[in-house]
Amino acid sequence: MPNIADFKQVSDVVWEIPTSYKSGMLVPARIYATKKLLEGMDAGVFEQVTNLACLPGIVRSAYAMADAHWGYGFPIGGVAAFDTETGVISPGGVGFDINCGMRLIRTNLHYSEVKSRVKELVDLMFRLVPAGVGVKGTLRISEAQFEDVMRYGVKWCAENGLAWEDDPSHVEEGGFIKGADPSKVSRQARNRGIEQLGTLGSGNHYLEIQVVDPSRFFDPDLAKHFGIVEEDQVVVMVHCGSRGFGHQVGSDYLRVFDGAMKRYGISVRDRELACAPFSSKEGKDYYGAMVCAANMAFTNRQVIVQRVRDAFSQVFHKDAEALDMHLIYDVCHNVAKVERHTYDGVSAEVLVHRKGATRSFGPGHHDIPAPYRPVGQPVIIGGSMETGSYLLVGTSKAMEDTFGSTAHGSGRTMSRTAAKRQVRGAELQRKMLERGIYVKSATMDGLAEEAGMAYKDISEVVETMDVAGISKKVVALRPIGNIKG
Amino acid sequence: MPFRYLPDIALADVAFEAESDSVNGLFESSALALSDVMVDPATLGTGTTRMLRISSDDLDTLLYDFLTEVIVVKDVDSLLFRGFEVEVAADYKSLEATMKGEAINRERHILRNDVKAVTMHLFGVGHEGGRWRATVVLDI
């Protein structure tokens, strides 16, 4: 058990575990947390973030964000960048749900116009966006089209009438990551994924109608750049990923890497940290397959947003264009990508793993859509279905300090079993309705497991990152309607 | 119950320990636990039969691959199961399974969590004191 008194305090919200903490650490580990959050973190976070610091080719530091909690191999909320020639790639550093991420769309509707229609909207979206165990999407595509989805993501959507013209540019990486190699994706993964486009899944995934919280509208001038122009403006948030497709890619390559490590003379402290040199055949194969899953996830969220636009259009008898339902942004929070960063005085390409962490590029970066370039990238942080979420903005400080990364959500503090013991799904649903949140779930057990009490205080997580300067608060978003998978 | 949940192992996911006095029984218990995570088995019929044949490198990976296949069948064919008969080969490198269940029906079945993957975390099969045990953590 680590003694946090031994950690070096870098600032009020940054702590460093030196390389002397554990044999084999190549770089220090940095934790972003208030003292309270640090003391509340499970010991697994400290073990895992220092395990990352031992992986071959890691550069500068291993990072745990303020929402960090124990994960498989990497902690959730973990960031690590590797030299592209000497470093490794690890499926455990991406997560099973490859390119799980957040998407936010705006409307020009005010809460007063939507309040009486929330139930109608949620019930309709629940029908249009399948959720829960073993569901299939309504989009039927051929195997050849699915290969295009793997390669081109939202670009494929735009070419096939499933996206608005400005949608791809408002998705991280322009809606698809280059380097997809469908030949490295197994038959099982393809079979699982081909009918899952446009499905929400289950667990902590959700589709939520939210309003701009007037009491926490931190930066109205900056918000205007993102199309958030007034208090109580209605927006819609989507949280989901690559469904069974990404999980199968993760499972397939975890087994491949488990065997490959011996060949490359790599030993790791945890089987889930299995990795291979990025430049090796196994590393390249996994990257090509992982990018396919990431592009499938972008497409999945895009198809869901089209259904959301259909639902609003149907309920308000207006075109979605007339409702100004443009995409604010779409961010990945489980991915590994080659990015150029400056560290230790050198500008170089590195392979950045973000697992339960969000890209947070600052003003002026060429990868940010032109309208946002003067202010920085929108960062979408999802909270529990009871407590709400946040829209933040990326910063230059994140570029300097964390390879352009920040937190992703609130992080669980209670097991699913414990949550179910404390609250019944039907009771939670009733209490949320009393507080003005209409929630519909594919399963009552699943609803109870996602109760707000099972999560960390998202406001403290967001505040920590704000104080650290690696993302800045723009506005808090309060839920009024929620679909749980 | 031939299995028990381990609530403190994975906060965001579900872990269980299955046991039996035979290796075949262990595989059957593990599959029952996996199914129990996804659906209330009391609401599930047994009108559909699916056979599986799986080969792997060793007993650990055989169980991993078997459970993964049950998850794949759920996603690809929308089938859930409540009855499992498993015959593991003497060299522990292959198995034949007969699974009884039915297609997912959202009106009749009480559905629970959509399991997406079997993880390697703490994964393993053990044999001690005449009992076979497996620890499995599922990604939700």
Side-chain angles (χ1 to χ4, degrees), chain A residues 146-168:
Chain A
F146 192 56
E147 289 229 351
D148 286 342
V149 165
M150 291 187 234
R151 284 197 175 91
Y152 303 117
V154 180
K155 184 174 172 225
W156 176 84
C157 295
E159 290 165 356
N160 288 273
L162 289 164
W164 292 3
E165 194 179 347
D166 62 348
D167 283 343

Side-chain angles (χ1 to χ4, degrees), chain A residues 50 158 205 452:
Chain A
T50 49
H205 294 152

Side-chain angles (χ1 to χ4, degrees), chain A residues 290-325:
Chain A
M290 182 211 67
V291 169
C292 289
N295 292 341
M296 185 274 191
F298 283 139
T299 310
N300 188 33
R301 291 195 288 274
Q302 178 65 36
V303 174
I304 288 173
V305 160
Q306 289 296 93
R307 302 291 184 251
V308 170
R309 286 168 172 160
D310 291 344
F312 271 73
S313 179
Q314 204 172 313
V315 167
F316 289 98
H317 305 292
K318 278 184 180 177
D319 288 343
E321 286 91 343
L323 295 169
D324 193 37
M325 295 186 75

Side-chain angles (χ1 to χ4, degrees), chain B residues 7-106:
Chain B
D8 299 323
I9 284 189
L11 282 187
D13 293 312
V14 176
F16 67 81
E17 182 184 70
E19 69 168 49
S20 175
D21 55 9
S22 70
V23 72
N24 292 339
L26 180 75
F27 275 59
E28 290 161 4
S29 301
S30 300
L32 283 172
L34 168 59
S35 294
D36 193 72
V37 174
M38 298 193 281
V39 63
D40 179 348
T43 65
L44 197 64
T46 54
T48 300
T49 301
R50 176 62 65 95
M51 313 286 284
L52 284 181
R53 280 200 181 125
I54 295 173
S55 298
S56 297
D57 300 333
D58 53 41
L59 192 61
D60 269 24
T61 48
L62 189 63
L63 181 62
Y64 183 92
D65 290 345
F66 171 53
L67 296 176
T68 296
E69 192 58 34
V70 175
I71 295 167
V72 170
V73 172
K74 175 262 298 176
D75 277 348
V76 175
D77 301 321
S78 298
L79 290 172
L80 292 170
F81 302 95
R82 62 174 291 188
F84 297 88
E85 282 181 31
V86 180
E87 192 69 40
V88 176
D91 64 0
Y92 295 155
K93 289 186 176 181
S94 65
L95 65 77
E96 288 185 12
T98 305
M99 314 191 294
K100 291 188 182 297
E102 64 177 335
I104 295 170
N105 181 321
R106 276 161 221 295

